Amino acid sequence: MAVLLAASGADLQAAAAPVAASAKAVTVERIKVHGAALEGNLEGESADRDVVVYLPPGYAADTARRYPVVYALHGYGLTADGFAGLLQTPQTAEGAFAAGAPGMIVVVPDTQTLHNGSMYSSSVTIGDWEGFITRDLVGYVDAHYRTLPDRLSRGLAGHSMGGYGVARLGMKHPETYGALYIMSPCCLSARDAPPPETGAAVEAVKTREEATRLGFLPRATFAVAAAWSPNPKKPPFYVDLPTSNGVVDRSVLARWAANAPLSMLDQYIFNLRRYQAIAIDVGDRDGLKVDAAELHERLDASGVANTFEIYSGDHGSAVASRFQNNVLPFFGRVLHSSGK
């Protein structure tokens, strides 16, 4: 069964990345970006989204310079600010630049929803999150910041649910991004029905307020149903659940499987071959490493160049240091940059 993980308190207390003595400050901007793609969603999610933007040292002073952009997607149960805590930004971005990574803009959108996460998917229930990330957000950033507005100067990274988002959006949108970094991705393989007690808990919920009080697995079940099995004729949640009166609905599980990157992969191989570089990493104590390894192996078998690393760590313990020492340097090497 595919696994969906939320960042725990332990994740957010991961060991701090070393402070670089020569690091220069980045500028942090917190903005709102309107997502036309999210308008009219049945769940009532706001189309105006919080976004955190990190501008590299020297951005304000050198007004002729344009920069590549890295979009970083957060995991289930987090917000943009919560992800900043896990990544330990801006410190880790400053450390990466001090260690020689070329200047780049880092953009972190908030995709929190009623059920704790958008799955970076598109449905009439939650809205077109694919469109928001790949069109609305990119369009806004290119219009308001000094970017290099070209796919070869855009990277997409994400952790956990965000890693799933990178795999999903990367398969579909090579016209938008030039390089991918997939960190500890969840939800790569097709999901089974939840355990009977979870299914019963989900079916018993009648109001939105009750839904927000659910435990992790029932709430995650609602999240994937809202993303992958919407039903506009079933208020108040507008979803088809994986069980009905305790009986598994195989048609719903088939719809979920259609959104699993390992199920989707074969039809998008030619898109994935267009990327300048694809990196995948995962901790050796992370249960998600099996699916991550399969993604790497199948990419290899299909002629898609990629790198794969299993490092020492669990699901969240090394995310900050990886972001500073691996993710940003990776994009610094592979994205097209410009001095002036």
Side-chain angles (χ1 to χ4, degrees), residues 8-286:
S8 67
D11 290 339
L12 299 179
Q13 295 167 12
V19 177
S22 60
K24 297 179 181 178
V26 306
T27 300
V28 182
E29 295 191 354
R30 287 177 168 80
I31 62 174
K32 289 274 190 184
V33 175
H34 180 75
L38 302 178
E39 293 175 355
N41 69 84
L42 299 176
E43 199 165 85
E45 302 296 345
S46 174
D48 297 311
R49 308 306 303 187
D50 292 326
V51 178
V52 182
V53 179
Y54 299 95
L55 302 174
Y59 180 89
D62 190 352
T63 57
R65 183 173 178 180
R66 291 184 171 272
Y67 296 87
V69 184
V70 173
Y71 293 86
L73 307 182
H74 67 72
Y76 182 77
L78 288 180
T79 61
D81 282 332
F83 195 35
L86 183 59
L87 295 176
Q88 296 179 22
T89 47
Q91 174 186 316
T92 48
E94 293 166 351
F97 297 143
M104 64 191 83
I105 299 169
V106 179
V107 178
V108 182
D110 192 313
T111 69
Q112 178 67 282
T113 63
L114 171 66
H115 302 302
N116 251 356
S118 70
M119 305 304 299
Y120 301 100
S121 299
S122 299
S123 82
V124 294
T125 299
I126 60 172
D128 179 8
W129 285 94
E130 289 189 25
F132 172 70
I133 297 294
T134 61
R135 295 193 304 272
D136 297 338
L137 181 60
V138 169
Y140 183 96
V141 170
D142 282 346
H144 290 82
Y145 294 94
R146 294 197 314 277
T147 69
L148 292 163
D150 183 89
R151 63 174 292 268
L152 298 180
S153 297
R154 274 190 219 107
L156 186 64
H159 175 258
S160 195
M161 182 185 77
Y164 165 84
V166 175
R168 178 191 183 97
L169 300 183
M171 287 182 189
K172 295 185 174 185
H173 296 283
E175 78 287 351
T176 303
Y177 309 104
L180 309 175
Y181 201 115
I182 302 170
M183 307 173 73
S184 307
C186 82
C187 314
L188 294 182
S189 57
R191 299 179 70 87
D192 293 331
E197 61 274 16
T198 299
V202 170
E203 287 193 56
V205 173
K206 303 302 180 187
T207 69
R208 292 165 60 94
E209 291 72 24
E210 289 176 331
T212 63
R213 296 195 295 268
L214 287 170
F216 170 74
L217 189 54
R219 198 167 186 191
T221 300
F222 262 120
V224 297
W228 301 337
S229 53
N231 187 332
K233 296 183 178 180
K234 282 190 176 180
F237 299 113
Y238 303 103
V239 302
D240 284 329
L241 295 173
T243 60
S244 178
N245 297 317
V247 178
V248 174
D249 187 334
R250 293 292 169 188
S251 68
V252 171
L253 296 187
R255 292 159 71 186
W256 290 10
N259 288 274
L262 289 174
S263 299
M264 299 161 60
L265 183 61
D266 296 332
Q267 62 190 302
Y268 291 110
I269 289 299
F270 297 103
N271 281 356
L272 290 166
R273 287 179 180 172
R274 294 177 59 186
Y275 285 95
Q276 301 167 91
I278 299 173
I280 307 166
D281 70 16
V282 67
D284 59 0
R285 300 189 303 279
D286 190 336

